[in-house]
Amino acid sequence: MSAKAGAKIFKQRCDQCHTVEAGAKHKTGPNLNGFIGRKTGGGVGYDYTAANKKKGITWGPDTLDEYLTNPKKYIPGTKMVFAGLKKKKDRDNLIAYLTKATK
């Protein structure tokens, strides 16, 4: 896994809707800082869908891998319009980046 490669994927596929820096504002999607280890829909100051709040899983590498494959399938009713990352290597790299960048 490569956090450097994951940073490129984040910039190309995620950056338009999400931020990762502590204290950064929400965009269309929530700021992701500190989300690893947190329950779905648990971030402060963002209007999550009922589907995200009710999913009740804790974000980690395994749940992120499944979610990033097909977000709408994993959390039906999510407002995230991202279609997902089909390549396992891309998901692994993005997860490596997010794990590092959102601490």
Side-chain angles (χ1 to χ4, degrees):
M1 291 184 282
S2 166
K4 185 176 179 179
K8 288 181 182 180
I9 294 167
F10 185 86
K11 186 169 177 73
Q12 293 168 348
R13 308 288 299 274
C14 314
D15 188 56
Q16 60 272 28
C17 295
H18 293 282
T19 54
V20 293
E21 302 83 9
K25 293 184 179 185
H26 299 299
K27 292 183 176 180
T28 303
N31 173 284
L32 299 176
N33 193 267
F35 86 109
I36 304 272
R38 188 169 65 208
K39 295 263 187 213
T40 52
V44 177
Y46 184 78
D47 185 24
Y48 291 93
T49 62
N52 270 278
K53 293 176 189 173
K54 287 172 37 177
K55 183 68 175 181
I57 57 98
T58 300
W59 290 121
D62 292 341
T63 52
L64 273 171
D65 183 57
E66 193 171 350
Y67 180 71
L68 290 170
T69 301
N70 187 336
K72 289 192 179 290
K73 182 178 180 186
Y74 190 64
I75 303 181
T78 185
K79 60 184 168 184
M80 188 157 125
V81 296
F82 181 61
L85 293 171
K86 303 308 174 206
K87 294 180 183 174
K88 174 78 169 140
K89 182 178 179 182
D90 288 347
R91 292 192 309 274
D92 288 346
N93 289 336
L94 180 57
I95 292 166
Y97 169 73
L98 290 171
T99 300
K100 183 177 177 182
T102 62
K103 286 185 179 180

